[in-house]
Amino acid sequence: MNPLLWPATLHHLRRDTPEPERLAHFYGELLGDAVERIGPALWRVQGPSRLLVVGEGEPGTVPYAAFSITAADRLAGLRAQLEREGVATSAFVSPAVDAESLAVTDPDGRSLVFVALPVEAPRPVPGPTGRLQHFVCATAGLASMLEFYRDRLGFVESDRVIDAASPPEEAMSAVFLRSDEEHHSFAVFRAPQSRADHHSYETGGWTDIRDWADRMGELRIPLWWGPGRHGVGNNLFFMIEDPDGYKVEFSAEIERVPRETAWRSWPHEQRTLNLWGSAWMRS
Ligand SMILES: [Fe+2]
């Protein structure tokens, strides 16, 4: 395990699409956030404790996820440790934040960026809160993704889902990983093809979930899944789709898990993903 990663917090994502201006304004309206053009085909959508870079690319893609690790000296230590472990690192300049950064490439070809930025203290905001909290991808190579994120980068495994109907070497159908005491800041689902899956905004509680859902109603954005409560992570949630069909989650009450707690196993069934009813099964 790489102890230098802990604690790390999801800071921002780049979300690509063929029509980035349209998608940037979708997220701006969805969240009530400021939309700013920061490059020829690049937009920043920023609100309290959340940041999205929207760029031009394939629909529904997330070319990188950026985690903050609070200080430049920790970034230098992480870089040295990754290089000792044979993980190639590269300098990275985020178009959205002015901070020292490094990037690594995961087995699916997505960049993981680490930025030396202090974690923002939450500021009081009018209306429901929604802090960018986790990113999830689906993959055709779950074992190698787990090996990379857990054993090379130092994420800590919180829970795994086991599909007893699959051959033992292919039985793992999802894994949830944490980089601070929140149950997962990153997760990976087994799927026929690798792709970005969703990201989540952690809210202040059940009434914030209600208020966000009321906002979806005003915007005529139908809830796509939920409200429900995940078994894994124990968080209340609902999801909507953005214009590419990429999912966006609003969550509350995500479980807190001390660093030393060992991972647990869940069966591959709908209840694992939704204690209240039906689930989105990626495989
Ligand atoms: Fe999620």
Side-chain angles (χ1 to χ4, degrees):
M1 192 212 294
N2 182 340
L4 292 172
L5 185 70
W6 188 286
T9 306
L10 182 61
H11 183 266
H12 69 280
L13 300 172
R14 175 166 163 160
R15 180 64 190 81
D16 275 5
T17 188
E19 292 184 64
E21 183 166 16
R22 174 170 167 249
L23 190 69
H25 286 286
F26 170 85
Y27 278 102
E29 188 173 36
L30 178 80
L31 301 165
D33 287 351
V35 179
E36 183 188 356
R37 189 173 194 161
I38 56 172
L42 208 58
W43 278 260
R44 174 170 50 208
V45 185
Q46 188 155 24
S49 304
R50 55 182 179 251
L51 172 61
L52 212 52
V53 175
V54 180
E56 188 170 12
E58 293 297 312
T61 50
V62 174
Y64 70 78
F67 284 77
S68 62
I69 62 161
T70 68
D73 60 335
R74 288 190 58 214
L75 192 74
L78 181 64
R79 178 187 291 114
Q81 181 155 340
L82 290 171
E83 286 176 354
R84 279 197 299 276
E85 290 175 8
V87 179
T89 65
S90 57
F92 184 86
V93 179
S94 169
V97 292
D98 181 19
E100 196 180 333
S101 309
L102 70 87
V104 298
T105 306
D106 79 11
D108 280 355
R110 181 174 294 105
S111 295
L112 249 283
V113 176
F114 299 100
V115 295
L117 276 177
V119 176
E120 268 183 62
R123 283 170 284 152
V125 292
T129 58
R131 165 177 53 91
L132 181 64
Q133 193 274 327
H134 68 254
F135 169 66
V136 173
C137 61
T139 183
L142 185 54
S144 47
M145 288 288 273
L146 174 59
E147 193 274 336
F148 183 79
Y149 280 87
R150 183 190 60 192
D151 303 337
R152 301 298 195 88
L153 298 187
F155 282 80
V156 180
E157 188 173 356
S158 294
D159 279 317
R160 62 171 66 175
V161 182
I162 300 295
D163 180 359
S166 294
E169 65 278 11
E170 297 166 17
M172 193 165 40
S173 64
V175 63
F176 294 76
L177 300 152
R178 65 190 184 279
S179 53
D180 62 17
E181 288 201 346
E182 290 187 317
H183 178 275
H184 56 283
S185 53
F186 179 74
V188 200
F189 280 81
R190 179 184 69 182
Q193 289 173 331
S194 297
R195 57 171 173 75
D197 191 274
H198 73 274
H199 68 259
S200 178
Y201 298 102
E202 185 68 13
T203 72
W206 179 242
T207 54
D208 279 359
I209 295 280
R210 176 200 66 190
D211 291 350
W212 280 114
D214 279 340
R215 183 178 179 87
M216 301 304 115
E218 285 159 18
L219 295 171
R220 298 180 179 270
I221 297 170
L223 305 196
W224 182 80
W225 180 27
R229 184 187 285 281
H230 293 308
V232 181
N234 200 43
N235 42 334
L236 300 161
F237 74 94
F238 70 80
M239 285 188 188
I240 59 109
E241 290 185 302
D242 79 11
D244 287 349
Y246 170 88
K247 311 298 186 282
V248 180
E249 178 173 32
F250 293 85
S251 159
E253 300 185 3
I254 193 166
E255 186 179 359
R256 295 189 74 82
V257 185
R259 183 174 175 175
E260 62 278 8
T261 302
W263 61 268
R264 301 157 300 186
S265 178
W266 294 72
H268 182 74
E269 61 183 20
Q270 297 202 20
R271 191 174 194 286
T272 289
L273 300 183
N274 187 4
L275 296 173
W276 294 356
S278 60
W280 174 25
M281 306 298 282
R282 283 77 162 185
S283 67

